[in-house]
Amino acid sequence: MSLLEVNNLTIYYEKEQSVVKAVNGISFKLAEGETMGLVGETGAGKTTTALGMMNLVPNPPGKIKSGEVLVDGKNVLTMSKKELSRFHGNQAAMIFQDPMTSLNPIMTVGNQIAETIRHHEKLSRADAYKSAEKMLETVGIDSDRMSDYPHQFSGGMKQRVVIAIALACNPRLLLADEPTTALDVTIQAQILDLMNDLKKKYSMGMLMITHDLGVVAEMCQRVSIMYAGRLVESGDLEDVFDRPSHPYTRGLLSSLPSLNEDMERLRPIPGMMPDPANLPAGCPFCPRCEQRMEICQDTMPGNMEVSNGHFTMCHLYSSNKGGTT
């Protein structure tokens, strides 16, 4: 049995004058100890997917329209508030994008870590504080700083504190939403190394949400490419990076600078991602795709297996193709 299984997850944001179709029927699995990268442009639906997996989509306006999220076989989306309270932090934890806003500015970092531990474990205040000291040292911060406040830490140190809080109760599943976006390159590398080491130490499954393909190449065994709320390609890291099948994936990889080729200009993907409140009837990538066909305009492609465990949503791989436009 997989540690995590997401089946047909669909999430909308319903407003008075429009419905934003943020996540549109995505499915994937994650094994224990495995790291999967969820990659896509801003607005692709990555963060909403993670919030949905934790049953934290703000309602209103957000609504989980369908699907299930199974962690160790239990559906997170049908849990009561009491069950969710035990689930968050204990079985699954999430690292949010901005460490600057993830910490309580009027509580010491030590108390914030200890509070998480006391919420899930039957420990005295003193024992929880000792556990928090060990956790802080685990992420590379001296326990002497337990009584410091968030504003006394740099961005990289704040992110370490956030990681300490997330891992305080040894969760089996970690969702990391752009955990290094606000940090400079040197600190990014330190944080990624730290997360890798802790993942191995605690045998966690990890979903790494990012737009940085370099981070995915360094951290992940599997990768899923998200576009307009759908997983347009997924598979093992080598299959997707070395043999990309979807035109969007190929466009992402082609837009990166190469150390092996002389390039005067990068090759960006033309156009913009469609408005999620007004998605086209067919393939959402069709208006930007250089290989589009007639069928792409009004028919959504299915999820096809192009090789063992390597899936893509593209009519180029279906038997029912139309002519080119």
Side-chain angles (χ1 to χ4, degrees):
M1 183 174 66
S2 300
L3 168 62
L4 169 68
E5 188 173 337
V6 177
N7 297 316
N8 195 36
L9 183 63
T10 301
I11 305 171
Y12 292 171
Y13 292 101
E14 298 181 348
K15 302 179 180 180
E16 289 186 5
Q17 298 181 350
S18 64
V19 176
V20 176
K21 298 179 179 180
V23 178
N24 300 292
I26 68 170
S27 301
F28 61 89
K29 296 180 180 180
L30 184 69
E32 184 176 339
E34 183 178 56
T35 300
M36 188 181 93
L38 185 61
V39 182
E41 296 173 76
T42 299
K46 306 185 299 298
T47 296
T48 298
T49 297
L51 292 174
M53 289 164 58
M54 296 288 283
N55 203 349
L56 289 174
V57 176
N59 182 10
K63 286 190 178 180
I64 299 176
K65 305 294 287 186
S66 67
E68 59 180 9
V69 177
L70 304 177
V71 177
D72 285 331
K74 298 179 181 178
N75 190 356
V76 180
L77 304 185
T78 59
M79 288 181 178
S80 65
K81 288 185 177 180
K82 188 174 181 180
E83 288 172 325
L84 278 175
S85 181
R86 290 196 297 264
F87 172 79
H88 292 151
N90 200 18
Q91 290 175 271
M94 185 168 175
I95 299 173
F96 294 92
Q97 287 187 26
D98 187 2
M100 315 300 175
T101 58
S102 297
L103 298 171
N104 188 332
I106 62 172
M107 285 180 68
T108 66
V109 297
N111 283 335
Q112 292 188 57
I113 302 170
E115 181 183 55
T116 301
I117 295 171
R118 289 195 71 205
H119 181 74
H120 292 287
E121 300 179 18
K122 294 180 180 180
L123 293 178
S124 67
R125 192 178 299 273
D127 288 341
Y129 202 79
K130 288 179 182 177
S131 294
E133 286 181 334
K134 292 179 182 177
M135 196 67 237
L136 200 62
E137 289 183 342
T138 298
V139 298
I141 300 176
D142 197 292
S143 60
D144 290 344
R145 303 205 62 184
M146 285 280 286
S147 58
D148 286 351
Y149 289 86
H151 73 270
Q152 296 174 275
F153 290 83
S154 66
M157 297 289 266
K158 285 180 184 175
Q159 192 63 292
R160 288 173 183 264
V161 173
V162 170
I163 293 171
I165 293 172
L167 302 185
C169 297
N170 300 336
R172 288 170 45 74
L173 173 66
L174 179 65
L175 310 182
D177 186 8
E178 304 273 11
T180 60
T181 296
L183 308 176
D184 64 55
V185 176
T186 304
I187 304 302
Q188 276 189 23
Q190 293 175 6
I191 294 296
L192 292 176
D193 287 344
L194 171 65
M195 292 178 67
N196 236 345
D197 292 342
L198 293 175
K199 190 203 81 166
K200 293 174 183 176
K201 180 178 179 179
Y202 295 115
S203 298
M204 295 181 299
M206 185 189 303
L207 182 69
M208 176 67 72
I209 299 170
T210 183
H211 61 270
D212 190 330
L213 292 170
V215 169
V216 173
E218 182 179 341
M219 295 283 291
C220 303
Q221 292 84 51
R222 291 175 54 237
V223 58
S224 291
I225 307 297
M226 195 166 193
Y227 186 83
R230 297 183 183 274
L231 297 186
V232 296
E233 185 164 1
S234 60
D236 290 342
L237 181 71
E238 289 185 0
D239 283 340
V240 175
F241 274 46
D242 295 343
R243 294 174 291 279
S245 56
H246 198 280
Y248 178 61
T249 309
R250 292 199 289 268
L252 287 179
L253 294 170
S254 296
S255 66
L256 297 175
S258 173
L259 296 176
N260 301 318
E261 297 180 31
D262 290 330
M263 300 173 65
E264 291 186 6
R265 282 180 169 271
L266 298 178
R267 296 188 293 274
I269 303 172
M272 300 286 289
M273 194 164 60
D275 180 359
N278 187 29
L279 292 173
C283 173
F285 188 63
C286 176
R288 305 174 70 183
C289 183
E290 295 178 353
Q291 296 176 277
R292 60 184 178 272
M293 303 174 289
E294 288 181 9
I295 192 174
C296 302
Q297 297 181 38
D298 51 23
T299 304
M300 179 67 67
N303 200 25
M304 287 154 278
E305 190 170 22
V306 293
S307 61
N308 187 28
H310 185 184
F311 294 87
T312 192
M313 291 185 69
C314 183
H315 285 299
L316 291 171
Y317 298 89
S318 68
S319 56
N320 183 26
K321 298 178 183 179
T324 56
T325 61

